[in-house]
Amino acid sequence: MLTIDVLTLFPEAFSGFLGASILGLARQRGIIDVRLHNLRDFSADKHHKVDDRPFGGGPGMLICPEPVFRAVEWLESHGFQGRRILLTPAGRTFDQKFAQELSGEKRLLLLCGHYEGFDHRIVEGMKWEEVSVGDYVLSGGEPAAMAIVDAVTRLLPEALGDPDSPKDESFSDGKLEYPQYTRPREFRGMSVPEVLVGGNHAEIRKWREEESKRRTSSRRKSP
Ligand code: 6GU
């Protein structure tokens, strides 16, 4: 069982996502437990304020240190021990290898920011791994947290119906997945490549490897 604590200003944003498909099933089966915590509940301010304007000026609002420190201290006093991940576009890029690493953990904490970012003392004053899900800017860390929860959960044994399926797909060997086809064999003038219906498994494997290589070199920077 992997337990993921999520600190967010918008816990309601996760509900549809957590109930659907593989994730919904993984939760029902007790493979993961996702615990949502509203950062606002940890504000010491009487108006439950969690953000304020940046010193020195500039646009937007920053998450204040107090509610984050209080939330983490509360979690720790209730037994949390594990990796702490702060979601920020300035972080290290999340990838399949990192997902694999996280799928071996027992507990994770994901901190979602909003507004223009975090007061830097959150990063200075407690240990975080700063993680991004790609080079573009989201208005909050929630979609990034969902991407991480999804990518990690589907790697857990028994989360997918077929235990082989996470092995033979994009990125599991650093290559993009080959094109796939299902029925019908002929659709609006487009047919399934002959090799895939010929039953020669060595040929099929070779075709797929070549298609993977072709896609990877045309769509990704070479390492
Ligand atoms: Cl983790 N947060 C935000 N706000 N934007 C992002 C991101 C994270 N990763 C990519 N863009």
Side-chain angles (χ1 to χ4, degrees):
M1 159 86 93
L2 168 62
T3 301
I4 307 176
D5 289 275
V6 181
L7 265 174
T8 169
L9 289 167
F10 301 97
E12 69 280 3
F14 288 83
S15 60
F17 164 75
L18 288 174
S21 187
I22 287 170
L23 237 41
L25 213 57
R27 288 173 62 235
Q28 275 179 24
R29 291 177 177 163
I31 296 165
I32 55 158
D33 181 16
V34 181
R35 302 178 183 172
L36 302 169
H37 310 279
N38 195 331
L39 198 52
R40 210 167 283 287
D41 296 340
F42 296 95
S43 170
D45 178 273
K46 66 172 180 289
H47 303 294
H48 302 287
K49 200 174 159 60
V50 289
D51 61 318
D52 212 330
R53 290 166 19 226
F55 280 115
M61 304 285 272
L62 303 176
I63 304 285
C64 301
E66 175 99 75
V68 175
F69 275 72
R70 283 168 46 112
V72 172
E73 283 154 8
W74 182 86
L75 283 165
E76 284 178 340
S77 73
H78 287 76
F80 177 83
Q81 217 186 344
R83 288 170 78 159
R84 301 169 180 171
I85 293 172
L86 182 152
L87 296 160
T88 165
R92 140 188 191 194
T93 309
F94 183 70
D95 59 12
Q96 192 64 21
K97 194 162 157 265
F98 198 15
Q100 242 136 24
E101 206 183 299
L102 296 183
S103 72
E105 301 287 334
K106 284 259 152 286
R107 290 291 294 260
L108 296 173
L109 171 58
L110 303 179
L111 170 59
C112 304
H114 241 263
Y115 317 117
E116 284 302 307
F118 300 91
D119 182 300
H120 193 61
R121 288 165 295 188
I122 294 167
V123 182
E124 277 176 0
M126 47 174 77
K127 237 180 89 177
W128 293 98
E129 297 176 70
E130 295 176 79
V131 174
S132 159
V133 293
D135 287 340
Y136 46 82
V137 180
L138 299 166
S139 30
E142 287 77 12
M146 293 184 209
I148 292 174
V149 170
D150 188 295
V152 171
T153 301
R154 60 191 301 293
L155 291 174
L156 297 173
E158 298 177 342
L160 301 182
D162 174 2
D164 283 343
S165 62
K167 294 193 195 95
D168 192 32
E169 64 187 2
S170 290
F171 300 115
S172 54
D173 60 356
K175 278 209 236 80
L176 302 184
E177 197 169 46
Y178 44 81
Q180 302 234 62
Y181 299 85
T182 183
R183 287 189 293 185
R185 273 181 70 164
E186 187 82 28
F187 176 71
R188 299 195 182 183
M190 300 174 283
S191 33
V192 176
E194 211 50 51
V195 58
L196 297 179
V197 293
N200 184 333
H201 294 289
E203 283 298 314
I204 292 172
R205 206 174 311 117
K206 201 169 121 230
W207 182 87
R208 286 176 168 170
E209 264 166 39
E210 278 162 12
E211 290 295 320
S212 278
K213 259 189 238 160
R214 193 210 312 280
R215 269 194 178 174
T216 310
S217 61
S218 77
R219 298 179 184 183
R220 293 290 182 275
K221 296 182 204 83
S222 12

